Amino acid sequence: MTAAQAPGSREVLGPPEIGRALIRIAHEILERAHGADDLVLLGIPTRGLPLAQRLAATIGEVEGVDPEPLVGALDVTMYRDDLRRHPTRTIGATSLPDRGIDDRVVVLVDDVLFSGRTIRAAMDALTDLGRPSAVQLAVLVDRGHRELPIRADYVGKNLPTSRGEKVAVRLVETDGVDSVRIEAQ
Amino acid sequence: MRHLLSAADLDHATAVHILDTSAEMAKTQSREIKKLPTLRGRTVVNLFFEDSTRTRISFEAAAKRLSADVINFSAKGSSVSKGESLKDTALTLHAMGADAVVVRHQASGAPHRLANAGWLSAAVLNAGDGTHQHPTQALLDAFTVRRHLRGTAAEPDGVGDDLAGLRVAIVGDVLHSRVARSNVDLLTTLGARVTLVAPPTLVPVGVERWPCEVSYHLDEVVDGGPDAIMMLRVQRERMGGGGGATSFFPSPLEYTRQYGLDARRLARLPEHAIVMHPGPMNRGLEISADAADSPRAVIVEQVANGVAVRMAVLYLLLAGEREDEA
C-alpha cells in the first residue's frame, strides 16, 4: 500500500466511508425502483464491476433475494470515442444476467465520473444489447469536469478536483485495499 | 502489432491476447445486433489476386461487423489483368486512403513486400500468400482447438489459456499448404505438439527444421491418440498440368485409402478428439462424408470462429493509435 502512495497524494475515502456510501446508494436504488424485481446492476470494468457486485449483495440482503441474477458486466471499449488517441485497449468481458435487460431498470455502475465519455459509450453499448425501461447511473466518486450532458443518479462522494489531479480508486477485489486518493500530477 | 504477415511473428503472449480478444468478439456475434461501431470511418481493402470466396467474405463480414468500410478488389477483370504491377496497385490504394489492406497473392512474400516497401501506410494482413503463410487461418484453428479442448464451465472459450500439451495431427497435402505452415508455427508457439502426416511426395523440402514431427502413416498417428486432427485439402490446382494430382500419388483412390479420414479411422480416434478442415473440402478424397458430417467435426464452427478472429485482428491492428503516429 505504501508503494502506491505517491508524494502529495491524500486519501479522501477509506474503507468505512466507501462501505457507508455503497450501503446508502443501495438503499437509494431500491427506493427509486420500488424493490429489486426489475433491477439490473451493470458494472463497467474494471472497478465498476466489484462495486456493482457489492451493491447487489447489499440489495440482496435487504430484500432477501439472490444477488447473483442482479449483476452483470458491461465492457464499453468498442464503443469509446477515443480509441484512436491511445494504444490499443484490451477488450473486457461483457456478461448480462440470464433474464437480459429488456424492460428492466438498468443501473450503470462505475468508480469515477469525470468527462462522461465512458457513460456515453456505455449507453451506446446498452442500445445494442436491448431496450431497458430506464437507465440510471451510480458512481462512487463524481469529480466534475463533465464534457457531455450526463449526470449521475447516485453519487458516493462529490469530489471537487482540478483537471491536473488524478483520482485513484482502489478496491479490495482488484487492488487488495479500499481507498480513494487524490494524487497531484 | 503493425501488420499481420506470418504466424511465426506472433509470440506466446500476443497469440493468447489475439485469441482472448477473439473470444469477446465471438460473444458479440450471438447478439441480435451484431454490428459494433468500433472501426467507423476506417477503410479496409480486400486485395485478392487469387480466387477465394471463404476468406474474402469472412474478412468482409468481420470488417463490416466492426463498421469499417470495405472495398473489394479482385485481380480478375481489374487493372491487374491489364498489366498493373503490385507497386502501382499499392500506390492507388494508398491514394484512396486505405487503413488496412487484406491481401491474398499467389506469390509467397507478396504481403511482406507490400508492408515493407514503403508504398503504403496501411496495415497489411496476409490472407494467404503462395505456399507460405495464412496466419488468420491458424489463429481460427487455434481458437477452435482451445475452445473445444481447453474450455471450462466458467470459461467456455478457454480465455487466458494456451494449448500446452495438446497433440494435433495435420494430415494431407502439406507441400502446398500455407495452412499447415502457419499452424505448425502458431500451435507450437502455444505449446501444442504437431505431427504432420503426408505421403513422402507431399512433404516439403526442409521440413526437418520445422518444430514438428513427420509421419508417413496415418493409421499409426490415429492410434497414437491425437487431441485434434486437421485434414488438409489436396490442392490439385497447384499440382501442375497433365496428370495433376497423380504426379504426386498413384491414384485418388490410393490416396484416400492411405491418407483419407473415413468412418473406420474416425472411430479409432479418442472420444474427445475433434476433426477439423480449413475448407473447401474434397469429400471422398481427404475426408469422407461420415467424418465431415460427424458430431465431432467442427468444420462449420471454424467458419464462424474465422469471423471472430478476423474481427479481433482488425481491431488490434486498426483501433488504437498507429505506432508510427505515436
Side-chain angles (χ1 to χ4, degrees):
Chain A
M1 190 174 160
T2 36
Q5 290 179 7
S9 85
R10 59 193 165 92
E11 184 167 87
V12 282
L13 297 178
E17 290 89 0
I18 291 175
R20 282 196 287 270
L22 290 176
I23 288 171
R24 172 176 53 78
I25 292 175
H27 283 276
E28 286 175 2
I29 291 173
L30 271 177
E31 213 169 58
R32 278 267 288 271
H34 306 291
D37 292 341
D38 290 323
L39 267 183
V40 182
L41 302 164
L42 292 183
I44 299 173
T46 311
R47 290 183 183 76
L49 184 56
L51 290 175
Q53 283 161 340
R54 289 193 206 179
L55 288 173
T58 307
I59 288 173
E61 236 169 78
V62 172
E63 293 288 292
V65 295
D66 178 12
E68 185 70 27
L70 296 176
V71 199
L74 181 69
D75 184 71
V76 304
T77 310
M78 288 191 277
Y79 295 86
R80 299 195 78 95
D81 61 4
D82 59 353
L83 284 170
R84 290 191 198 191
R85 293 166 175 242
H86 297 276
T88 312
R89 291 168 187 260
T90 299
I91 297 171
T94 293
S95 63
L96 297 184
D98 293 336
R99 279 198 290 166
I101 58 169
D102 283 346
D103 301 318
R104 303 179 71 187
V105 175
V106 170
V107 182
L108 298 169
V109 184
D110 204 358
D111 52 355
V112 180
L113 179 58
F114 184 22
S115 65
R117 289 177 189 267
T118 302
I119 304 306
R120 198 278 313 159
M123 288 195 289
D124 278 357
L126 271 186
T127 316
D128 282 357
L129 289 168
R131 189 179 183 282
S133 62
V135 181
Q136 298 168 1
L137 173 60
V139 295
L140 183 59
V141 172
D142 181 349
R143 62 167 294 189
H145 305 289
R146 213 77 74 242
E147 293 165 7
L148 294 169
I150 281 170
R151 179 181 60 78
D153 298 89
Y154 314 102
V155 180
K157 171 99 175 154
N158 281 302
L159 213 55
T161 57
S162 80
R163 274 183 176 274
E165 288 168 324
K166 190 176 177 309
V167 176
V169 174
R170 295 186 179 81
L171 298 173
V172 170
E173 293 90 330
T174 49
D175 314 277
V177 61
D178 275 354
S179 92
V180 177
R181 307 185 68 86
I182 293 183
E183 292 168 357
Q185 286 221 318
Chain B
M1 205 161 64
R2 178 83 174 72
H3 305 288
L4 180 64
L5 301 176
S6 165
D9 297 342
L10 301 173
D11 59 23
H12 184 273
T14 311
V16 170
H17 185 222
I18 296 175
L19 297 185
D20 291 351
T21 307
S22 306
E24 293 308 324
M25 294 295 181
K27 278 194 225 159
T28 67
Q29 296 309 295
S30 55
R31 295 181 189 167
E32 204 170 322
I33 297 172
K34 298 179 178 62
K35 207 175 177 78
L36 298 156
T38 316
L39 296 183
R40 214 157 58 87
R42 300 271 169 139
T43 303
V44 175
V45 176
N46 283 328
L47 181 59
F48 277 64
F49 292 91
E50 225 181 39
D51 288 336
S52 158
T53 312
R54 311 170 149 254
T55 306
R56 185 181 58 75
I57 60 175
S58 183
F59 267 109
E60 185 169 352
K64 285 182 171 171
R65 298 271 163 84
L66 290 171
S67 301
D69 295 317
V70 181
I71 297 171
N72 285 310
F73 184 110
S74 74
K76 265 184 199 158
S78 73
S79 49
V80 173
S81 61
K82 297 172 189 162
E84 189 177 68
S85 69
L86 184 62
K87 178 180 177 177
D88 290 325
T89 306
L91 293 174
T92 307
L93 298 179
H94 180 68
M96 285 197 287
D99 295 295
V101 176
V102 177
V103 60
R104 165 164 294 192
H105 202 285
Q106 62 278 6
S108 302
H112 188 268
R113 185 96 178 110
L114 266 186
N116 294 303
W119 303 328
L120 272 173
S121 61
V124 176
L125 283 87
N126 184 356
D129 57 334
T131 58
H132 177 225
Q133 280 279 338
H134 191 357
T136 55
Q137 178 72 40
L139 284 163
L140 78 89
D141 289 334
F143 182 80
T144 308
V145 170
R146 188 177 80 163
R147 190 167 174 276
H148 279 271
L149 301 172
R150 281 286 189 258
T152 58
E155 283 291 354
D157 293 317
V159 168
D161 213 343
D162 61 11
L163 307 178
L166 292 177
R167 292 189 300 163
V168 181
I170 302 179
V171 185
D173 184 358
V174 176
L175 178 63
H176 299 107
S177 179
R178 49 200 176 208
V179 176
R181 271 175 188 71
S182 301
N183 264 307
V184 167
D185 290 334
L186 183 69
L187 298 180
T188 309
T189 300
L190 289 169
R193 282 160 52 202
V194 179
T195 305
L196 298 174
V197 187
T201 49
L202 287 174
V203 173
V205 174
V207 78
E208 62 279 356
R209 288 194 300 276
W210 296 14
C212 62
E213 288 163 36
V214 179
S215 167
Y216 302 140
H217 305 288
L218 179 56
D219 284 312
E220 281 175 17
V221 172
V222 164
D223 291 334
D227 299 295
I229 187 162
M230 190 184 298
M231 306 307 296
L232 299 173
R233 185 169 66 87
V234 176
Q235 302 194 37
R236 297 201 230 196
E237 75 277 12
R238 292 186 205 275
M239 291 186 179
T246 51
S247 50
F248 288 91
F249 43 83
S251 73
L253 184 63
E254 182 158 339
Y255 181 88
T256 306
R257 287 228 181 103
Q258 295 287 321
Y259 297 100
L261 185 65
D262 53 16
R264 195 171 45 88
R265 290 191 175 115
L266 183 70
R268 274 161 43 205
L269 286 170
E271 230 164 82
H272 66 273
I274 56 171
V275 174
M276 305 167 75
H277 192 298
M281 290 186 277
N282 291 312
R283 281 180 186 246
L285 185 56
E286 71 266 2
I287 190 166
S288 76
D290 297 307
D293 299 332
S294 88
R296 293 153 78 179
V298 295
I299 298 163
V300 178
E301 196 196 306
Q302 284 175 272
V303 178
N305 292 343
V307 176
V309 163
R310 288 170 180 127
M311 287 172 74
V313 170
L314 285 170
Y315 172 79
L316 293 171
L317 286 176
L318 289 182
E321 64 185 349
R322 294 302 298 267
E323 281 162 34
D324 53 5
E325 292 166 4

